[in-house]
Amino acid sequence: MLIPEPVYNIEKSYDDNYRDGPVFHGRIPASMPSTRPVSFLGITANSRLGIPAGPLLNSDWIGFYATMGFDLLVYKTVRTHAHPSYPPPNCLYVSVSGDLTPTSLSTPLIGTPRMEPASMRDITITNSFGMPSQAPAVWQEDVSRARKKIGPGQVLIVSVVGTEREGESIAENFARAAKMAKESGAQAVEVNFSCPNVKGTEGQIFQDPETAGKVAKTVRRELGPDYPLIVKVGYIGSDAEADRLLREIGPHINAIAAINTLSATVINPEGRPALPGPGRERSGVCGNAIRKAALEVVSRLSGRISSMKIPLSVIGVGGLMTVEDYDLFLASGADFAMTATGAMWDPYLAFHQKQQNLR
Ligand SMILES: Cc1cc2nc3c(=O)[nH]c(=O)nc-3n(C[C@H](O)[C@H](O)[C@H](O)COP(=O)(O)O)c2cc1C
């Protein structure tokens, strides 16, 4: 086997990984290759490479990946209330040949807990957690701890999600979560709009521009005019769809992060649901096979943003598995790039990207 085990143990539960991870038996680089500082939404950062909401479950994970040279670190999505994770498995390998598109995903994929990937190109997974969150008292204290664990030129972003609660609209709940994250020491907040839309139309919030706009406006009001605010979206298949969304959210935010996973039905080799239980009929596919779809969305968003003359940065996410993929994201119009699956299997990715940058 050429690729070592991931630092996130996919055979264990979210709680196990929260408590015991990251598990890493390699060597921590003694020092990072020097880089030219960049501005990340007004904050000085060592590089344009980071990790999106996902593998960074808490301050131990943030601290580890900061040490490995990832400079833009997104704390996994949290809520205004405690919420349990789906039981394990939460991640499975999926066998895919070639690139996935939303259309090709109408046929089920086969998921398995074990595989011996020979290269980063073999790693496509599905993840299904149900957006767990510790209670605010726990995550807020931990976010403050995470802030102390990062170094100069590293940025701590906290991803939040809102739901409709008793006496509170979805926008108000998002805003309250964002405020809690800011108060705990987050330097930027990301609102996760690639989550199910509990209000109005079917689908996810980013597919409902009117709700997305209302939420973004309410969160902006809560955070104040100068605080960095990012919106995370899923696959956007047309310029018209991008324009409608950008028109509504653009005036309120500083950056758009794309994409979240592509949604698929995943079955086991016997043909039964690979992730049993309600709400898991479909799950998110990430890693190598979604890069083409991610690059397409990045290129679309960056093109539409410049035509519409909105001052928004684009954060490219999805299938970034190697240093070459990082270059592809920047060439497609991303201002910054992030890797979740890639960083889980190759924690040296940022170090290698920085080494390459020196040449
Ligand atoms: C283990 C894992 C957990 C994730 N959890 C979240 C999450 O809590 N919030 C979120 O917005 N995205 C989450 N994601 C999606 C990632 O942020 C990212 O959009 C997606 O995985 C595509 O990037 P990748 O191909 O580099 O993995 C998660 C991804 C993984 C692999």
Side-chain angles (χ1 to χ4, degrees):
M1 192 180 80
L2 296 175
I3 303 287
E5 292 291 320
V7 295
Y8 183 102
N9 188 334
I10 68 168
E11 293 184 36
K12 297 217 167 145
S13 68
Y14 159 85
D15 291 323
D16 291 337
N17 277 285
Y18 187 96
R19 194 187 52 239
D20 304 331
V23 177
F24 180 65
H25 303 294
R27 276 168 61 169
I28 305 270
S31 65
M32 277 294 140
S34 61
T35 51
R36 196 152 10 107
V38 297
S39 168
F40 176 78
L41 317 182
I43 305 165
T44 302
N46 297 332
S47 75
R48 298 180 184 278
L49 181 56
I51 300 187
L56 308 181
L57 308 191
N58 58 33
S59 56
D60 289 340
W61 289 83
I62 298 265
F64 168 70
Y65 277 103
T67 314
M68 298 303 285
F70 291 87
D71 296 315
L72 313 172
L73 301 143
V74 188
Y75 198 98
K76 184 167 166 57
T77 307
V78 288
R79 305 177 183 245
T80 56
H81 52 281
H83 189 84
S85 166
Y86 286 141
N90 302 105
C91 296
L92 292 172
Y93 291 99
V94 289
S95 41
V96 182
S97 57
D99 299 306
L100 289 173
T101 61
T103 340
S104 69
L105 281 169
S106 50
T107 29
L109 299 173
I110 295 177
T112 51
R114 294 227 176 95
M115 207 184 89
E116 297 207 340
S119 97
M120 292 298 281
R121 295 283 173 238
D122 295 334
I123 304 171
T124 297
I125 64 169
T126 186
N127 85 74
S128 161
F129 288 85
M131 268 188 283
S133 176
Q134 305 296 315
V138 175
W139 69 251
Q140 285 194 281
E141 200 187 325
D142 189 56
V143 166
S144 307
R145 219 175 292 136
R147 179 71 188 273
K148 294 193 188 94
K149 288 191 180 184
I150 63 173
Q154 299 192 312
V155 185
L156 177 63
I157 302 146
V158 173
S159 166
V160 302
V161 73
T163 48
E164 205 169 45
R165 310 269 296 160
E166 213 177 306
E168 200 177 34
S169 71
I170 186 168
E172 288 163 345
N173 189 248
F174 257 107
R176 190 155 62 88
K179 181 171 178 242
M180 287 171 157
K182 180 184 174 187
E183 286 171 353
S184 317
Q187 290 159 282
V189 163
E190 179 173 282
V191 286
N192 185 0
F193 282 0
S194 45
C195 64
N197 190 2
V198 289
K199 188 136 188 82
T201 48
E202 286 283 300
Q204 300 184 319
I205 293 182
F206 77 93
Q207 294 163 326
D208 173 0
E210 200 190 322
T211 302
K214 261 188 218 152
V215 176
K217 187 175 178 185
T218 311
V219 174
R220 168 55 74 205
R221 208 184 299 133
E222 188 66 60
L223 294 177
D226 303 322
Y227 188 83
L229 175 59
I230 305 160
V231 161
K232 171 91 171 276
V233 301
Y235 181 82
I236 296 175
S238 73
D239 284 2
E241 202 186 321
D243 287 3
R244 277 196 296 274
L245 179 68
L246 289 169
R247 226 175 278 128
E248 296 295 332
I249 63 173
H252 312 298
I253 67 170
N254 305 96
I256 185 158
I259 58 171
N260 206 310
T261 51
L262 293 180
S263 166
T265 303
V266 183
I267 55 174
N268 63 23
E270 291 76 46
R272 287 192 293 278
L275 299 161
R280 306 180 90 185
E281 296 77 13
R282 291 181 74 81
S283 53
V285 178
C286 47
N288 190 61
I290 72 162
R291 183 174 50 263
K292 191 166 172 229
L295 290 169
E296 176 198 324
V297 177
V298 163
S299 158
R300 169 167 294 126
L301 287 173
S302 106
R304 298 317 301 151
I305 284 166
S306 61
S307 304
M308 293 167 84
K309 300 192 170 48
I310 328 174
L312 278 192
S313 298
V314 175
I315 304 173
V317 188
L320 194 170
M321 311 301 286
T322 66
V323 173
E324 293 71 38
D325 298 344
Y326 167 84
D327 295 337
L328 287 179
F329 273 93
L330 264 58
S332 297
D335 300 287
F336 308 96
M338 294 189 178
T339 166
T341 308
M344 286 160 75
W345 269 263
D346 180 9
Y348 292 105
L349 233 170
F351 180 68
H352 289 144
Q353 191 277 323
K354 287 177 176 175
Q355 275 184 325
Q356 171 136 324
N357 221 18
L358 288 179
R359 278 186 227 134

